[in-house]
């Protein structure tokens, strides 16, 4: 028999993730102030293989979550409908993998250097013992002449490409953080599609200045705002497509011990993953339901 707390957690997560919600059919909605109660998640404890989970992407077809874990070279699938069973596919050798995005039936995995690996999983047929994994690796320009570190990747229809926000780029000044664009069709990188003004972030939390260190990002399908998780800062920053601040959430470190991944369901549920903080804790997947829609 399954433990009572396991069953309770499964029912809570199923209610959040599998609810369709009429709001998913609307182009854009205005949520109530606060949008999500970030102090009341449903929480799933992840397996040891995902102790360094560094990026997540929701898969609407079967309401599962794909994930990557730093330094493993595996793509993971967490089955929320099948007892939280986890599948895995080896796609490359160990590297510093930071984020993953599912787009147009392929997965795009970001390395901290800015390199992006496109992964396509071809299901096995009767003659094959396992699925086939196809990959193509795009190398960030510049041969690492300047120090640049990235941890966040998301696809934005406004730019017809993937946006990468600098976590630590030495060509940025103390007043702004640069966002790069990767075009998957032309296999091309473009610098400075927009800059995030850091004084606006600092002002929102009552500081004079801030060292902005994004660790993950995703677009909220209900509002079309960009949500940026900053694990080192203990913040979630909400901005528009051009990097202008809209809101900043200060995170409870008891809940968000090491938030490194973020994704949304099409109906607006917010999912955030935590790495394991130490040898006594486990990685977690947190799920938040949007608050009541205005009107």
């Amino acid at each position: 028999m399954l433990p009572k707390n396991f069953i309770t957690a499964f029912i809570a997560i199923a209610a959040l993730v599998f609810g369709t919600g009429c709001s998913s059919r609307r182009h854009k909605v205005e949520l109530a102030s606060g949008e999500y109660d970030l102090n009341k998640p449903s929480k799933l404890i992840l397996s040891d293989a995902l102790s360094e989970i560094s990026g997540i992407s929701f898969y609407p077809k079967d309401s599962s979550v794909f994930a990557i874990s730093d330094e493993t070279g595996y793509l993971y699938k967490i089955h929320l409908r099948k007892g939280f069973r986890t599948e895995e596919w080896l796609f490359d050798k160990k590297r510093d993998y930071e984020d993953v995005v599912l787009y147009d039936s392929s997965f795009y995995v970001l390395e901290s250097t800015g390199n992006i690996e496109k992964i396509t999983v071809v299901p096995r047929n009767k003659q094959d013992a396992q699925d086939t994994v196809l990959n193509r690796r795009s190398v960030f320009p510049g041969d690492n002449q300047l120090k640049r570190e990235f941890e966040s990747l998301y696809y934005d229809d406004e730019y017809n490409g993937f946006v990468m926000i600098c976590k630590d780029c030495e060509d940025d000044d103390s007043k702004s953080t640069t966002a790069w664009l990767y075009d998957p069709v032309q296999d091309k990188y473009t610098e400075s599609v927009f800059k995030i003004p850091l004084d606006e972030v600092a002002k929102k939390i009552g500081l004079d200045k801030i060292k902005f260190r994004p660790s993950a990002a995703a677009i909220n399908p209900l509002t079309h705002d960009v949500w940026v998780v900053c694990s080192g800062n203990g913040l979630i920053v909400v901005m528009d497509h051009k990097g202008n601040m809209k809101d900043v959430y200060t995170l409870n470190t008891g809940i968000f011990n090491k938030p490194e991944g973020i994704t949304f369901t099409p109906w607006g549920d917010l999912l955030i993953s935590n790495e394991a903080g130490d040898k006594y804790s486990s990685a977690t997947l947190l799920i938040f339901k949007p608050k009541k829609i205005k009107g």
Side-chain angles (χ1 to χ4, degrees):
M1 180 178 293
L2 292 173
K4 182 178 179 181
N5 60 346
F6 181 95
I7 298 172
T8 302
F10 179 81
I11 293 172
I13 290 172
L16 281 169
V17 176
F18 308 142
T20 55
C22 62
S23 60
S24 64
R25 297 183 178 90
R26 300 175 63 178
H27 176 66
K28 186 174 181 179
V29 298
E30 184 181 5
L31 296 176
S33 177
E35 297 185 87
Y36 300 85
D37 186 343
L38 296 179
N39 291 312
K40 295 182 178 179
S42 289
K43 181 169 71 172
L44 169 63
I45 305 299
L46 301 176
S47 66
D48 290 343
L50 289 164
S51 62
E52 294 191 57
I53 186 170
S54 54
I56 56 176
S57 187
F58 187 74
Y59 185 50
K61 186 175 180 180
D62 62 5
S63 292
S64 59
V65 176
F66 280 90
I68 54 167
S69 187
D70 193 18
E71 302 288 349
T72 69
Y74 280 90
L75 175 70
Y76 300 90
K77 184 179 183 180
I78 306 166
H79 290 269
L80 300 181
R81 282 181 169 172
K82 298 180 180 179
F84 311 134
R85 181 174 62 88
T86 301
E87 289 185 89
E88 60 184 43
W89 296 264
L90 179 65
F91 65 87
D92 208 337
K93 64 181 182 180
K94 294 181 179 180
R95 304 184 199 273
D96 192 6
Y97 300 110
E98 297 294 350
D99 211 347
V100 60
V101 178
L102 173 60
Y103 173 73
D104 197 21
S105 300
S106 293
F107 299 91
Y108 291 80
V109 177
L110 174 70
E111 299 173 24
S112 62
T113 56
N115 300 336
I116 294 176
E117 192 153 359
K118 179 183 179 181
I119 304 166
T120 305
V121 178
V122 181
R124 61 182 178 273
N125 55 37
K126 293 181 179 180
Q127 288 75 38
D128 297 327
Q130 58 188 13
D131 298 336
T132 300
V133 179
L134 307 176
N135 59 346
R136 183 194 72 188
R137 190 161 174 257
S138 299
V139 178
F140 189 82
D143 297 323
N144 296 319
Q145 294 175 358
L146 294 175
K147 178 185 176 183
R148 295 191 179 102
E149 182 181 1
F150 302 89
E151 289 193 0
S152 56
L153 182 75
Y154 63 93
Y155 189 87
D156 194 334
D157 290 329
E158 295 284 325
Y159 297 105
N160 294 315
F162 293 92
V163 176
M164 310 156 48
I165 304 173
C166 278
K167 178 182 179 182
D168 188 10
C169 294
E170 66 177 323
D171 45 345
D172 279 344
D173 57 33
S174 60
K175 296 181 179 180
S176 63
T177 292
T178 301
W180 285 68
L181 181 69
Y182 172 70
D183 183 336
V185 177
Q186 300 186 39
D187 191 23
K188 178 183 177 182
Y189 290 86
T190 303
E191 186 179 8
S192 296
V193 287
F194 62 81
K195 287 183 175 288
I196 301 173
L198 299 186
D199 58 336
E200 292 185 22
V201 181
K203 184 178 179 181
K204 286 279 189 180
I205 56 175
L207 298 177
D208 294 329
K209 59 182 179 179
I210 187 173
K211 177 65 175 177
F212 191 54
R213 299 178 65 81
S215 51
I219 292 180
N220 186 326
L222 301 186
T223 63
H224 294 186
D225 293 332
V226 181
W227 282 55
V228 184
V229 175
C230 307
S231 184
N233 300 110
L235 301 173
I236 288 180
V237 173
V238 182
M239 63 187 190
D240 67 15
H241 292 268
K242 296 182 179 179
N244 299 308
M245 291 303 100
K246 302 189 76 171
D247 209 346
V248 177
Y249 296 97
T250 301
L251 300 178
N252 180 342
T253 56
I255 299 172
F256 302 91
N257 56 300
K258 290 191 71 176
E260 297 285 344
I262 184 171
T263 189
F264 289 89
T265 69
W267 47 91
D269 290 355
L270 166 64
L271 286 71
I272 294 177
S273 59
N274 282 308
E275 289 186 3
D278 54 48
K279 65 179 180 179
Y280 300 109
S281 66
S282 300
T284 57
L285 180 66
L286 309 177
I287 306 177
F288 303 86
K289 197 75 174 174
K291 290 183 180 180
K292 186 177 179 180
I293 299 168
K294 288 183 178 181

PDB file of all heavy atoms in Angstrom, residues 105-131:
ATOM      1  N   SER A 105       8.477  19.948 -31.467  1.00  0.00           N
ATOM      2  CA  SER A 105       8.763  18.510 -31.346  1.00  0.00           C
ATOM      3  C   SER A 105      10.232  18.176 -31.071  1.00  0.00           C
ATOM      4  O   SER A 105      10.620  17.005 -31.140  1.00  0.00           O
ATOM      5  CB  SER A 105       8.313  17.750 -32.610  1.00  0.00           C
ATOM      6  OG  SER A 105       6.932  17.910 -32.822  1.00  0.00           O
ATOM      7  N   SER A 106      11.043  19.183 -30.779  1.00  0.00           N
ATOM      8  CA  SER A 106      12.431  18.947 -30.410  1.00  0.00           C
ATOM      9  C   SER A 106      12.743  19.660 -29.102  1.00  0.00           C
ATOM     10  O   SER A 106      12.035  20.589 -28.703  1.00  0.00           O
ATOM     11  CB  SER A 106      13.390  19.434 -31.501  1.00  0.00           C
ATOM     12  OG  SER A 106      13.264  18.668 -32.682  1.00  0.00           O
ATOM     13  N   PHE A 107      13.801  19.214 -28.450  1.00  0.00           N
ATOM     14  CA  PHE A 107      14.239  19.835 -27.203  1.00  0.00           C
ATOM     15  C   PHE A 107      15.512  20.637 -27.471  1.00  0.00           C
ATOM     16  O   PHE A 107      16.405  20.181 -28.190  1.00  0.00           O
ATOM     17  CB  PHE A 107      14.514  18.766 -26.145  1.00  0.00           C
ATOM     18  CG  PHE A 107      13.306  17.942 -25.796  1.00  0.00           C
ATOM     19  CD1 PHE A 107      13.024  16.775 -26.469  1.00  0.00           C
ATOM     20  CD2 PHE A 107      12.438  18.365 -24.797  1.00  0.00           C
ATOM     21  CE1 PHE A 107      11.907  16.020 -26.160  1.00  0.00           C
ATOM     22  CE2 PHE A 107      11.308  17.619 -24.482  1.00  0.00           C
ATOM     23  CZ  PHE A 107      11.047  16.450 -25.169  1.00  0.00           C
ATOM     24  N   TYR A 108      15.566  21.813 -26.887  1.00  0.00           N
ATOM     25  CA  TYR A 108      16.739  22.670 -27.014  1.00  0.00           C
ATOM     26  C   TYR A 108      17.341  22.833 -25.625  1.00  0.00           C
ATOM     27  O   TYR A 108      16.693  23.342 -24.709  1.00  0.00           O
ATOM     28  CB  TYR A 108      16.363  24.015 -27.622  1.00  0.00           C
ATOM     29  CG  TYR A 108      15.956  23.918 -29.072  1.00  0.00           C
ATOM     30  CD1 TYR A 108      14.681  23.494 -29.432  1.00  0.00           C
ATOM     31  CD2 TYR A 108      16.851  24.227 -30.093  1.00  0.00           C
ATOM     32  CE1 TYR A 108      14.308  23.372 -30.764  1.00  0.00           C
ATOM     33  CE2 TYR A 108      16.491  24.120 -31.440  1.00  0.00           C
ATOM     34  CZ  TYR A 108      15.222  23.690 -31.758  1.00  0.00           C
ATOM     35  OH  TYR A 108      14.855  23.580 -33.083  1.00  0.00           O
ATOM     36  N   VAL A 109      18.576  22.365 -25.483  1.00  0.00           N
ATOM     37  CA  VAL A 109      19.256  22.356 -24.191  1.00  0.00           C
ATOM     38  C   VAL A 109      20.369  23.393 -24.199  1.00  0.00           C
ATOM     39  O   VAL A 109      21.216  23.413 -25.095  1.00  0.00           O
ATOM     40  CB  VAL A 109      19.824  20.961 -23.874  1.00  0.00           C
ATOM     41  CG1 VAL A 109      20.595  20.978 -22.557  1.00  0.00           C
ATOM     42  CG2 VAL A 109      18.708  19.924 -23.815  1.00  0.00           C
ATOM     43  N   LEU A 110      20.362  24.262 -23.195  1.00  0.00           N
ATOM     44  CA  LEU A 110      21.341  25.334 -23.080  1.00  0.00           C
ATOM     45  C   LEU A 110      22.500  24.915 -22.185  1.00  0.00           C
ATOM     46  O   LEU A 110      22.298  24.408 -21.078  1.00  0.00           O
ATOM     47  CB  LEU A 110      20.673  26.580 -22.490  1.00  0.00           C
ATOM     48  CG  LEU A 110      21.579  27.766 -22.152  1.00  0.00           C
ATOM     49  CD1 LEU A 110      22.107  28.415 -23.425  1.00  0.00           C
ATOM     50  CD2 LEU A 110      20.838  28.783 -21.285  1.00  0.00           C
ATOM     51  N   GLU A 111      23.729  25.141 -22.662  1.00  0.00           N
ATOM     52  CA  GLU A 111      24.920  24.995 -21.839  1.00  0.00           C
ATOM     53  C   GLU A 111      25.273  26.358 -21.242  1.00  0.00           C
ATOM     54  O   GLU A 111      24.909  27.404 -21.785  1.00  0.00           O
ATOM     55  CB  GLU A 111      26.093  24.480 -22.664  1.00  0.00           C
ATOM     56  CG  GLU A 111      25.861  23.118 -23.284  1.00  0.00           C
ATOM     57  CD  GLU A 111      26.984  22.732 -24.233  1.00  0.00           C
ATOM     58  OE1 GLU A 111      28.112  23.255 -24.079  1.00  0.00           O
ATOM     59  OE2 GLU A 111      26.739  21.924 -25.145  1.00  0.00           O
ATOM     60  N   SER A 112      25.988  26.359 -20.150  1.00  0.00           N
ATOM     61  CA  SER A 112      26.335  27.621 -19.489  1.00  0.00           C
ATOM     62  C   SER A 112      27.176  28.522 -20.387  1.00  0.00           C
ATOM     63  O   SER A 112      27.166  29.747 -20.238  1.00  0.00           O
ATOM     64  CB  SER A 112      27.085  27.344 -18.187  1.00  0.00           C
ATOM     65  OG  SER A 112      28.300  26.663 -18.433  1.00  0.00           O
ATOM     66  N   THR A 113      27.892  27.952 -21.345  1.00  0.00           N
ATOM     67  CA  THR A 113      28.722  28.732 -22.273  1.00  0.00           C
ATOM     68  C   THR A 113      27.909  29.435 -23.354  1.00  0.00           C
ATOM     69  O   THR A 113      28.433  30.262 -24.092  1.00  0.00           O
ATOM     70  CB  THR A 113      29.738  27.815 -22.960  1.00  0.00           C
ATOM     71  OG1 THR A 113      29.027  26.748 -23.614  1.00  0.00           O
ATOM     72  CG2 THR A 113      30.718  27.232 -21.969  1.00  0.00           C
ATOM     73  N   GLY A 114      26.610  29.083 -23.471  1.00  0.00           N
ATOM     74  CA  GLY A 114      25.772  29.647 -24.527  1.00  0.00           C
ATOM     75  C   GLY A 114      25.545  28.697 -25.685  1.00  0.00           C
ATOM     76  O   GLY A 114      24.715  28.963 -26.560  1.00  0.00           O
ATOM     77  N   ASN A 115      26.286  27.587 -25.721  1.00  0.00           N
ATOM     78  CA  ASN A 115      26.021  26.574 -26.743  1.00  0.00           C
ATOM     79  C   ASN A 115      24.624  25.998 -26.548  1.00  0.00           C
ATOM     80  O   ASN A 115      24.152  25.870 -25.415  1.00  0.00           O
ATOM     81  CB  ASN A 115      27.044  25.442 -26.664  1.00  0.00           C
ATOM     82  CG  ASN A 115      28.468  25.912 -26.882  1.00  0.00           C
ATOM     83  OD1 ASN A 115      28.702  26.943 -27.516  1.00  0.00           O
ATOM     84  ND2 ASN A 115      29.426  25.167 -26.351  1.00  0.00           N
ATOM     85  N   ILE A 116      23.968  25.642 -27.659  1.00  0.00           N
ATOM     86  CA  ILE A 116      22.616  25.086 -27.602  1.00  0.00           C
ATOM     87  C   ILE A 116      22.579  23.774 -28.371  1.00  0.00           C
ATOM     88  O   ILE A 116      23.033  23.704 -29.514  1.00  0.00           O
ATOM     89  CB  ILE A 116      21.579  26.068 -28.178  1.00  0.00           C
ATOM     90  CG1 ILE A 116      21.476  27.312 -27.284  1.00  0.00           C
ATOM     91  CG2 ILE A 116      20.212  25.398 -28.319  1.00  0.00           C
ATOM     92  CD1 ILE A 116      20.547  28.374 -27.811  1.00  0.00           C
ATOM     93  N   GLU A 117      22.055  22.750 -27.743  1.00  0.00           N
ATOM     94  CA  GLU A 117      21.974  21.437 -28.370  1.00  0.00           C
ATOM     95  C   GLU A 117      20.512  21.100 -28.678  1.00  0.00           C
ATOM     96  O   GLU A 117      19.664  21.134 -27.786  1.00  0.00           O
ATOM     97  CB  GLU A 117      22.579  20.375 -27.454  1.00  0.00           C
ATOM     98  CG  GLU A 117      22.798  19.046 -28.145  1.00  0.00           C
ATOM     99  CD  GLU A 117      23.932  18.248 -27.521  1.00  0.00           C
ATOM    100  OE1 GLU A 117      24.566  18.731 -26.573  1.00  0.00           O
ATOM    101  OE2 GLU A 117      24.174  17.116 -27.992  1.00  0.00           O
ATOM    102  N   LYS A 118      20.245  20.806 -29.938  1.00  0.00           N
ATOM    103  CA  LYS A 118      18.904  20.396 -30.362  1.00  0.00           C
ATOM    104  C   LYS A 118      18.810  18.885 -30.279  1.00  0.00           C
ATOM    105  O   LYS A 118      19.643  18.154 -30.831  1.00  0.00           O
ATOM    106  CB  LYS A 118      18.632  20.857 -31.803  1.00  0.00           C
ATOM    107  CG  LYS A 118      17.265  20.436 -32.332  1.00  0.00           C
ATOM    108  CD  LYS A 118      17.080  20.865 -33.791  1.00  0.00           C
ATOM    109  CE  LYS A 118      15.729  20.411 -34.325  1.00  0.00           C
ATOM    110  NZ  LYS A 118      15.547  20.792 -35.747  1.00  0.00           N
ATOM    111  N   ILE A 119      17.780  18.389 -29.574  1.00  0.00           N
ATOM    112  CA  ILE A 119      17.612  16.956 -29.353  1.00  0.00           C
ATOM    113  C   ILE A 119      16.249  16.515 -29.883  1.00  0.00           C
ATOM    114  O   ILE A 119      15.228  17.122 -29.561  1.00  0.00           O
ATOM    115  CB  ILE A 119      17.694  16.617 -27.857  1.00  0.00           C
ATOM    116  CG1 ILE A 119      19.011  17.108 -27.257  1.00  0.00           C
ATOM    117  CG2 ILE A 119      17.532  15.124 -27.626  1.00  0.00           C
ATOM    118  CD1 ILE A 119      19.004  17.103 -25.758  1.00  0.00           C
ATOM    119  N   THR A 120      16.235  15.477 -30.673  1.00  0.00           N
ATOM    120  CA  THR A 120      14.988  14.884 -31.159  1.00  0.00           C
ATOM    121  C   THR A 120      14.992  13.405 -30.804  1.00  0.00           C
ATOM    122  O   THR A 120      15.938  12.689 -31.130  1.00  0.00           O
ATOM    123  CB  THR A 120      14.843  15.052 -32.688  1.00  0.00           C
ATOM    124  OG1 THR A 120      14.953  16.435 -33.028  1.00  0.00           O
ATOM    125  CG2 THR A 120      13.493  14.531 -33.153  1.00  0.00           C
ATOM    126  N   VAL A 121      13.937  12.971 -30.110  1.00  0.00           N
ATOM    127  CA  VAL A 121      13.812  11.563 -29.719  1.00  0.00           C
ATOM    128  C   VAL A 121      12.885  10.866 -30.714  1.00  0.00           C
ATOM    129  O   VAL A 121      11.713  11.233 -30.856  1.00  0.00           O
ATOM    130  CB  VAL A 121      13.262  11.426 -28.288  1.00  0.00           C
ATOM    131  CG1 VAL A 121      13.096   9.956 -27.922  1.00  0.00           C
ATOM    132  CG2 VAL A 121      14.178  12.131 -27.288  1.00  0.00           C
ATOM    133  N   VAL A 122      13.424   9.863 -31.414  1.00  0.00           N
ATOM    134  CA  VAL A 122      12.643   9.080 -32.381  1.00  0.00           C
ATOM    135  C   VAL A 122      12.225   7.779 -31.707  1.00  0.00           C
ATOM    136  O   VAL A 122      13.083   6.961 -31.345  1.00  0.00           O
ATOM    137  CB  VAL A 122      13.467   8.788 -33.646  1.00  0.00           C
ATOM    138  CG1 VAL A 122      12.624   7.991 -34.647  1.00  0.00           C
ATOM    139  CG2 VAL A 122      13.970  10.087 -34.271  1.00  0.00           C
ATOM    140  N   PRO A 123      10.909   7.577 -31.493  1.00  0.00           N
ATOM    141  CA  PRO A 123      10.456   6.353 -30.804  1.00  0.00           C
ATOM    142  C   PRO A 123      10.906   5.087 -31.525  1.00  0.00           C
ATOM    143  O   PRO A 123      10.949   5.027 -32.760  1.00  0.00           O
ATOM    144  CB  PRO A 123       8.931   6.487 -30.815  1.00  0.00           C
ATOM    145  CG  PRO A 123       8.671   7.961 -30.968  1.00  0.00           C
ATOM    146  CD  PRO A 123       9.789   8.467 -31.837  1.00  0.00           C
ATOM    147  N   ARG A 124      11.269   4.085 -30.758  1.00  0.00           N
ATOM    148  CA  ARG A 124      11.740   2.814 -31.331  1.00  0.00           C
ATOM    149  C   ARG A 124      10.604   2.085 -32.026  1.00  0.00           C
ATOM    150  O   ARG A 124       9.438   2.245 -31.670  1.00  0.00           O
ATOM    151  CB  ARG A 124      12.335   1.936 -30.228  1.00  0.00           C
ATOM    152  CG  ARG A 124      11.353   1.548 -29.128  1.00  0.00           C
ATOM    153  CD  ARG A 124      12.061   0.717 -28.060  1.00  0.00           C
ATOM    154  NE  ARG A 124      11.175   0.362 -26.974  1.00  0.00           N
ATOM    155  CZ  ARG A 124      10.942   1.123 -25.910  1.00  0.00           C
ATOM    156  NH1 ARG A 124      11.530   2.306 -25.811  1.00  0.00           N
ATOM    157  NH2 ARG A 124      10.132   0.718 -24.952  1.00  0.00           N
ATOM    158  N   ASN A 125      10.954   1.300 -33.011  1.00  0.00           N
ATOM    159  CA  ASN A 125       9.972   0.418 -33.655  1.00  0.00           C
ATOM    160  C   ASN A 125      10.243  -1.013 -33.206  1.00  0.00           C
ATOM    161  O   ASN A 125      11.062  -1.259 -32.318  1.00  0.00           O
ATOM    162  CB  ASN A 125      10.038   0.554 -35.187  1.00  0.00           C
ATOM    163  CG  ASN A 125      11.442   0.316 -35.716  1.00  0.00           C
ATOM    164  OD1 ASN A 125      12.170  -0.542 -35.205  1.00  0.00           O
ATOM    165  ND2 ASN A 125      11.832   1.065 -36.747  1.00  0.00           N
ATOM    166  N   LYS A 126       9.581  -1.957 -33.799  1.00  0.00           N
ATOM    167  CA  LYS A 126       9.681  -3.342 -33.356  1.00  0.00           C
ATOM    168  C   LYS A 126      11.089  -3.906 -33.509  1.00  0.00           C
ATOM    169  O   LYS A 126      11.491  -4.816 -32.781  1.00  0.00           O
ATOM    170  CB  LYS A 126       8.690  -4.204 -34.142  1.00  0.00           C
ATOM    171  CG  LYS A 126       7.222  -3.889 -33.848  1.00  0.00           C
ATOM    172  CD  LYS A 126       6.300  -4.796 -34.646  1.00  0.00           C
ATOM    173  CE  LYS A 126       4.833  -4.489 -34.329  1.00  0.00           C
ATOM    174  NZ  LYS A 126       3.908  -5.365 -35.110  1.00  0.00           N
ATOM    175  N   GLN A 127      11.851  -3.368 -34.457  1.00  0.00           N
ATOM    176  CA  GLN A 127      13.187  -3.890 -34.707  1.00  0.00           C
ATOM    177  C   GLN A 127      14.249  -3.281 -33.775  1.00  0.00           C
ATOM    178  O   GLN A 127      15.337  -3.831 -33.627  1.00  0.00           O
ATOM    179  CB  GLN A 127      13.613  -3.616 -36.161  1.00  0.00           C
ATOM    180  CG  GLN A 127      12.889  -4.468 -37.200  1.00  0.00           C
ATOM    181  CD  GLN A 127      11.453  -4.009 -37.428  1.00  0.00           C
ATOM    182  OE1 GLN A 127      11.185  -2.796 -37.425  1.00  0.00           O
ATOM    183  NE2 GLN A 127      10.539  -4.949 -37.616  1.00  0.00           N
ATOM    184  N   ASP A 128      13.934  -2.147 -33.151  1.00  0.00           N
ATOM    185  CA  ASP A 128      14.919  -1.448 -32.330  1.00  0.00           C
ATOM    186  C   ASP A 128      14.748  -1.797 -30.858  1.00  0.00           C
ATOM    187  O   ASP A 128      13.632  -1.971 -30.363  1.00  0.00           O
ATOM    188  CB  ASP A 128      14.786   0.072 -32.504  1.00  0.00           C
ATOM    189  CG  ASP A 128      15.076   0.508 -33.932  1.00  0.00           C
ATOM    190  OD1 ASP A 128      15.925  -0.136 -34.576  1.00  0.00           O
ATOM    191  OD2 ASP A 128      14.443   1.480 -34.386  1.00  0.00           O
ATOM    192  N   ALA A 129      15.861  -1.863 -30.151  1.00  0.00           N
ATOM    193  CA  ALA A 129      15.819  -2.150 -28.723  1.00  0.00           C
ATOM    194  C   ALA A 129      15.512  -0.910 -27.905  1.00  0.00           C
ATOM    195  O   ALA A 129      15.027  -0.999 -26.783  1.00  0.00           O
ATOM    196  CB  ALA A 129      17.157  -2.746 -28.282  1.00  0.00           C
ATOM    197  N   GLN A 130      15.793   0.274 -28.458  1.00  0.00           N
ATOM    198  CA  GLN A 130      15.563   1.508 -27.722  1.00  0.00           C
ATOM    199  C   GLN A 130      15.292   2.654 -28.687  1.00  0.00           C
ATOM    200  O   GLN A 130      15.475   2.520 -29.902  1.00  0.00           O
ATOM    201  CB  GLN A 130      16.771   1.841 -26.851  1.00  0.00           C
ATOM    202  CG  GLN A 130      18.068   1.976 -27.622  1.00  0.00           C
ATOM    203  CD  GLN A 130      19.270   2.121 -26.710  1.00  0.00           C
ATOM    204  OE1 GLN A 130      19.192   1.890 -25.516  1.00  0.00           O
ATOM    205  NE2 GLN A 130      20.401   2.520 -27.281  1.00  0.00           N
ATOM    206  N   ASP A 131      14.842   3.786 -28.139  1.00  0.00           N
ATOM    207  CA  ASP A 131      14.589   4.970 -28.952  1.00  0.00           C
ATOM    208  C   ASP A 131      15.897   5.488 -29.543  1.00  0.00           C
ATOM    209  O   ASP A 131      16.984   5.285 -28.992  1.00  0.00           O
ATOM    210  CB  ASP A 131      13.955   6.081 -28.100  1.00  0.00           C
ATOM    211  CG  ASP A 131      12.610   5.680 -27.521  1.00  0.00           C
ATOM    212  OD1 ASP A 131      11.967   4.785 -28.105  1.00  0.00           O
ATOM    213  OD2 ASP A 131      12.214   6.258 -26.494  1.00  0.00           O
TER     214      ASP A 131
END
